[in-house]
Every structure is written in structure tokens, then in C-alpha cells.
Amino acid sequence: MRQIDKKEIVSAVAQLVQEANYFLGDDMLKALHDGKREEESVIGQDIFAQLLENAGIAAGERVPVCQDTGVAVIFLEIGNEVYINGNIYNAVNEGVSKGYQEGYLRKSMVKSPIDRINTGDNTPAVIHTRIVPGDKLKIIAAPKGGGSENMSRLQMLKPADGIEGVKEVVINAVREAGANPCPPVIVGVGIGGNFEKAALMAKEALLRPVDDSSKNPVIARLEQELLKDINKLGIGPQGLGGKKTALAVKIKEYPCHIASLPVAVNINCHAARHKEIVL
């Protein structure tokens, strides 16, 4: 049994939440460069250039890519041969507090959705935990801003709605979102499971590299079909028109009840932020 001290987790989380807000991944930067080259709208091309310039400034000066530094969404994969010396959830929240305060990141969390009093350190985090084989602890920080998160959708379809019904839900979600999630976007989709499982899968799908495809050929084909149809909407970069409304569509699926076909959509803005570390 391998032991990991609480202090290691606090330090790792503090580092991750800062780096996720300062540095876009290489896959995302490549997608922005490709988007600039492929965009036909002159305004859209200029927006891509500004997004790339903004990303460069953020990385160079270690300042946030976006002023909305988001809810601290943390994914934990805990090896079944790992012993955590201390409460792992307390450690994560201490790390979030430390990272957001030391990094001068905007604090956006309120204590209650009713009283709306700011917690002052961006805690509590939203934490998702999985137990996996091994003696490692993987921590993924995926800060999620309010503008894109508010465009999330979940619909419980009937099985008879089929694949066309799924497509309609996803395309309508992006159409109705318009400029609100700061396109070009990454679209995460969860299909199957039940009400809460579909929503979680839509968010987990956004953790995939921008340039990959599903290992399931049927899902990979659906991802490409949806991307093509979404980009026909003409919303374009920052909602000002163009062919690059979305840079990618990522789908995650799960078995479901014979009477159900849940579909969830979670949209990421152009600042598709996530960083990970393995302890």
C-alpha cells in the first residue's frame, strides 16, 4: 500500500488550477491555428488571431486566459493501492483555495445559490472521484466558466427518437447558445446512462484531446457529422459569423434503460482548460 500525504495533494491542486488558467494545451493551440487558417470570414480570422495573441500573453505573463477563472472542477482517479494520509476532499479544497489566492485568480463561488455571498477563495470545488487499479493518484483540474456552463442542456429522449433525435438535441443546444459560450467551442456530449450519468459524461468528454476521435467507429462518425452540421449554423467565432463555430465534438456513451435515451450537452468555450498530474 503506497501512502500519499495530504500536503502533496494540496500543492498539486494549487499548481494545477493556476496552470489550467494560464496555459492552453498544445492541442487547443493547434486547433486555434487550424481554425484561423480554415475560417473564411475575415472578421473570424481576426478573432482567431486575437485569441492566439491572448493565449500567448496569458502564458508569457502567467495571467488568466479569461477573467472568468471558473468553478474548480476536479476529477480524481484514486488507485486501490493508495492510502491518503488525510481527508482527500479537504486537501483538494485547500489546494483550490491556495491556488486561487496565490495566483490572483477571480473567486466566483458563492456559499449558497440563494444568498449569493462569495466564499472568498473559490471553494468549494466540484469533485468527481473514481477508484481505479494501481498505486497512483491522478488529479485533473478543469476550471469551467459560467458563460459556457450556463449553455448546458439535458434531455430525456424516447428510444424511438433515435440518432436523429440525439443530433437535434445537440445542434439545437449550440444554436440556442449562440455567442454566449464564446465560440469557437468544444462540444461535449453524453449519451445514455441516466439523468446524472449523461451530464457527467458530457463534461468528461471535454477532457479528451481536441484532435482525437472516439475509438468506437459509430461514435467517431457521429462526432464528425455533428461537427459538420454545427459549423453550418454560421454562428462563427465570437458569434460574428463564419464557418468555425465549433472546433470539435466529443461524445461519451454508456448503457441505458430500455425505456430511456438521455442526452446531455456541455459546451466549452475557446479556453478549453484542463491540466492533470499523476502522484
PDB file of all heavy atoms in Angstrom, residues 92-106:
ATOM      1  N   VAL A  92      -8.132  18.758  -1.445  1.00  0.00           N
ATOM      2  CA  VAL A  92      -8.456  19.384  -2.732  1.00  0.00           C
ATOM      3  C   VAL A  92      -8.935  20.812  -2.525  1.00  0.00           C
ATOM      4  O   VAL A  92      -8.477  21.740  -3.207  1.00  0.00           O
ATOM      5  CB  VAL A  92      -9.520  18.555  -3.485  1.00  0.00           C
ATOM      6  CG1 VAL A  92     -10.095  19.357  -4.660  1.00  0.00           C
ATOM      7  CG2 VAL A  92      -8.923  17.246  -3.982  1.00  0.00           C
ATOM      8  N   ASN A  93      -9.823  21.012  -1.572  1.00  0.00           N
ATOM      9  CA  ASN A  93     -10.332  22.367  -1.347  1.00  0.00           C
ATOM     10  C   ASN A  93      -9.262  23.310  -0.805  1.00  0.00           C
ATOM     11  O   ASN A  93      -9.238  24.489  -1.153  1.00  0.00           O
ATOM     12  CB  ASN A  93     -11.545  22.314  -0.423  1.00  0.00           C
ATOM     13  CG  ASN A  93     -12.817  21.934  -1.156  1.00  0.00           C
ATOM     14  OD1 ASN A  93     -13.154  22.536  -2.176  1.00  0.00           O
ATOM     15  ND2 ASN A  93     -13.518  20.920  -0.667  1.00  0.00           N
ATOM     16  N   GLU A  94      -8.368  22.789   0.018  1.00  0.00           N
ATOM     17  CA  GLU A  94      -7.245  23.618   0.473  1.00  0.00           C
ATOM     18  C   GLU A  94      -6.371  24.013  -0.712  1.00  0.00           C
ATOM     19  O   GLU A  94      -5.885  25.148  -0.796  1.00  0.00           O
ATOM     20  CB  GLU A  94      -6.416  22.861   1.516  1.00  0.00           C
ATOM     21  CG  GLU A  94      -7.053  22.787   2.892  1.00  0.00           C
ATOM     22  CD  GLU A  94      -6.144  22.088   3.898  1.00  0.00           C
ATOM     23  OE1 GLU A  94      -4.909  22.262   3.811  1.00  0.00           O
ATOM     24  OE2 GLU A  94      -6.679  21.364   4.773  1.00  0.00           O
ATOM     25  N   GLY A  95      -6.175  23.074  -1.629  1.00  0.00           N
ATOM     26  CA  GLY A  95      -5.370  23.367  -2.813  1.00  0.00           C
ATOM     27  C   GLY A  95      -6.022  24.398  -3.708  1.00  0.00           C
ATOM     28  O   GLY A  95      -5.351  25.288  -4.244  1.00  0.00           O
ATOM     29  N   VAL A  96      -7.333  24.287  -3.883  1.00  0.00           N
ATOM     30  CA  VAL A  96      -8.059  25.278  -4.680  1.00  0.00           C
ATOM     31  C   VAL A  96      -7.947  26.657  -4.051  1.00  0.00           C
ATOM     32  O   VAL A  96      -7.648  27.653  -4.720  1.00  0.00           O
ATOM     33  CB  VAL A  96      -9.539  24.864  -4.832  1.00  0.00           C
ATOM     34  CG1 VAL A  96     -10.371  26.016  -5.413  1.00  0.00           C
ATOM     35  CG2 VAL A  96      -9.661  23.626  -5.710  1.00  0.00           C
ATOM     36  N   SER A  97      -8.179  26.720  -2.741  1.00  0.00           N
ATOM     37  CA  SER A  97      -8.075  27.999  -2.032  1.00  0.00           C
ATOM     38  C   SER A  97      -6.681  28.603  -2.181  1.00  0.00           C
ATOM     39  O   SER A  97      -6.533  29.789  -2.509  1.00  0.00           O
ATOM     40  CB  SER A  97      -8.400  27.786  -0.550  1.00  0.00           C
ATOM     41  OG  SER A  97      -8.221  28.983   0.177  1.00  0.00           O
ATOM     42  N   LYS A  98      -5.675  27.776  -1.976  1.00  0.00           N
ATOM     43  CA  LYS A  98      -4.286  28.239  -2.082  1.00  0.00           C
ATOM     44  C   LYS A  98      -3.971  28.713  -3.494  1.00  0.00           C
ATOM     45  O   LYS A  98      -3.401  29.796  -3.698  1.00  0.00           O
ATOM     46  CB  LYS A  98      -3.356  27.088  -1.692  1.00  0.00           C
ATOM     47  CG  LYS A  98      -1.861  27.375  -1.804  1.00  0.00           C
ATOM     48  CD  LYS A  98      -1.061  26.132  -1.397  1.00  0.00           C
ATOM     49  CE  LYS A  98       0.421  26.268  -1.663  1.00  0.00           C
ATOM     50  NZ  LYS A  98       1.039  27.282  -0.791  1.00  0.00           N
ATOM     51  N   GLY A  99      -4.367  27.921  -4.485  1.00  0.00           N
ATOM     52  CA  GLY A  99      -4.058  28.259  -5.871  1.00  0.00           C
ATOM     53  C   GLY A  99      -4.752  29.516  -6.348  1.00  0.00           C
ATOM     54  O   GLY A  99      -4.148  30.361  -7.017  1.00  0.00           O
ATOM     55  N   TYR A 100      -6.022  29.658  -6.005  1.00  0.00           N
ATOM     56  CA  TYR A 100      -6.771  30.823  -6.473  1.00  0.00           C
ATOM     57  C   TYR A 100      -6.312  32.105  -5.776  1.00  0.00           C
ATOM     58  O   TYR A 100      -6.316  33.183  -6.385  1.00  0.00           O
ATOM     59  CB  TYR A 100      -8.275  30.607  -6.289  1.00  0.00           C
ATOM     60  CG  TYR A 100      -8.902  29.936  -7.491  1.00  0.00           C
ATOM     61  CD1 TYR A 100      -8.722  28.572  -7.721  1.00  0.00           C
ATOM     62  CD2 TYR A 100      -9.645  30.661  -8.411  1.00  0.00           C
ATOM     63  CE1 TYR A 100      -9.276  27.950  -8.829  1.00  0.00           C
ATOM     64  CE2 TYR A 100     -10.205  30.058  -9.525  1.00  0.00           C
ATOM     65  CZ  TYR A 100     -10.009  28.701  -9.734  1.00  0.00           C
ATOM     66  OH  TYR A 100     -10.549  28.088 -10.850  1.00  0.00           O
ATOM     67  N   GLN A 101      -5.908  31.989  -4.525  1.00  0.00           N
ATOM     68  CA  GLN A 101      -5.443  33.190  -3.824  1.00  0.00           C
ATOM     69  C   GLN A 101      -4.017  33.560  -4.229  1.00  0.00           C
ATOM     70  O   GLN A 101      -3.731  34.722  -4.514  1.00  0.00           O
ATOM     71  CB  GLN A 101      -5.557  32.981  -2.307  1.00  0.00           C
ATOM     72  CG  GLN A 101      -7.018  32.857  -1.855  1.00  0.00           C
ATOM     73  CD  GLN A 101      -7.186  32.883  -0.360  1.00  0.00           C
ATOM     74  OE1 GLN A 101      -7.174  33.940   0.275  1.00  0.00           O
ATOM     75  NE2 GLN A 101      -7.345  31.699   0.227  1.00  0.00           N
ATOM     76  N   GLU A 102      -3.132  32.580  -4.277  1.00  0.00           N
ATOM     77  CA  GLU A 102      -1.740  32.866  -4.661  1.00  0.00           C
ATOM     78  C   GLU A 102      -1.638  33.298  -6.123  1.00  0.00           C
ATOM     79  O   GLU A 102      -0.774  34.103  -6.476  1.00  0.00           O
ATOM     80  CB  GLU A 102      -0.861  31.650  -4.412  1.00  0.00           C
ATOM     81  CG  GLU A 102      -0.624  31.337  -2.944  1.00  0.00           C
ATOM     82  CD  GLU A 102       0.305  30.152  -2.752  1.00  0.00           C
ATOM     83  OE1 GLU A 102       0.612  29.462  -3.763  1.00  0.00           O
ATOM     84  OE2 GLU A 102       0.717  29.914  -1.605  1.00  0.00           O
ATOM     85  N   GLY A 103      -2.518  32.743  -6.968  1.00  0.00           N
ATOM     86  CA  GLY A 103      -2.460  33.064  -8.392  1.00  0.00           C
ATOM     87  C   GLY A 103      -3.281  34.277  -8.784  1.00  0.00           C
ATOM     88  O   GLY A 103      -3.346  34.615  -9.973  1.00  0.00           O
ATOM     89  N   TYR A 104      -3.906  34.927  -7.812  1.00  0.00           N
ATOM     90  CA  TYR A 104      -4.752  36.098  -8.071  1.00  0.00           C
ATOM     91  C   TYR A 104      -5.816  35.773  -9.115  1.00  0.00           C
ATOM     92  O   TYR A 104      -6.084  36.563 -10.036  1.00  0.00           O
ATOM     93  CB  TYR A 104      -3.902  37.300  -8.506  1.00  0.00           C
ATOM     94  CG  TYR A 104      -2.906  37.738  -7.453  1.00  0.00           C
ATOM     95  CD1 TYR A 104      -1.572  37.345  -7.544  1.00  0.00           C
ATOM     96  CD2 TYR A 104      -3.299  38.505  -6.362  1.00  0.00           C
ATOM     97  CE1 TYR A 104      -0.649  37.701  -6.572  1.00  0.00           C
ATOM     98  CE2 TYR A 104      -2.389  38.871  -5.386  1.00  0.00           C
ATOM     99  CZ  TYR A 104      -1.066  38.462  -5.498  1.00  0.00           C
ATOM    100  OH  TYR A 104      -0.153  38.814  -4.530  1.00  0.00           O
ATOM    101  N   LEU A 105      -6.416  34.603  -8.983  1.00  0.00           N
ATOM    102  CA  LEU A 105      -7.487  34.192  -9.873  1.00  0.00           C
ATOM    103  C   LEU A 105      -8.826  34.650  -9.293  1.00  0.00           C
ATOM    104  O   LEU A 105      -9.010  34.648  -8.079  1.00  0.00           O
ATOM    105  CB  LEU A 105      -7.481  32.665 -10.024  1.00  0.00           C
ATOM    106  CG  LEU A 105      -6.160  32.038 -10.484  1.00  0.00           C
ATOM    107  CD1 LEU A 105      -6.289  30.528 -10.539  1.00  0.00           C
ATOM    108  CD2 LEU A 105      -5.746  32.593 -11.839  1.00  0.00           C
ATOM    109  N   ARG A 106      -9.740  35.025 -10.176  1.00  0.00           N
ATOM    110  CA  ARG A 106     -11.031  35.541  -9.712  1.00  0.00           C
ATOM    111  C   ARG A 106     -11.790  34.479  -8.921  1.00  0.00           C
ATOM    112  O   ARG A 106     -11.835  33.316  -9.304  1.00  0.00           O
ATOM    113  CB  ARG A 106     -11.885  35.991 -10.895  1.00  0.00           C
ATOM    114  CG  ARG A 106     -13.064  36.864 -10.469  1.00  0.00           C
ATOM    115  CD  ARG A 106     -13.948  37.202 -11.648  1.00  0.00           C
ATOM    116  NE  ARG A 106     -14.902  36.120 -11.938  1.00  0.00           N
ATOM    117  CZ  ARG A 106     -15.768  36.175 -12.942  1.00  0.00           C
ATOM    118  NH1 ARG A 106     -15.775  37.202 -13.764  1.00  0.00           N
ATOM    119  NH2 ARG A 106     -16.607  35.172 -13.145  1.00  0.00           N
TER     120      ARG A 106
END
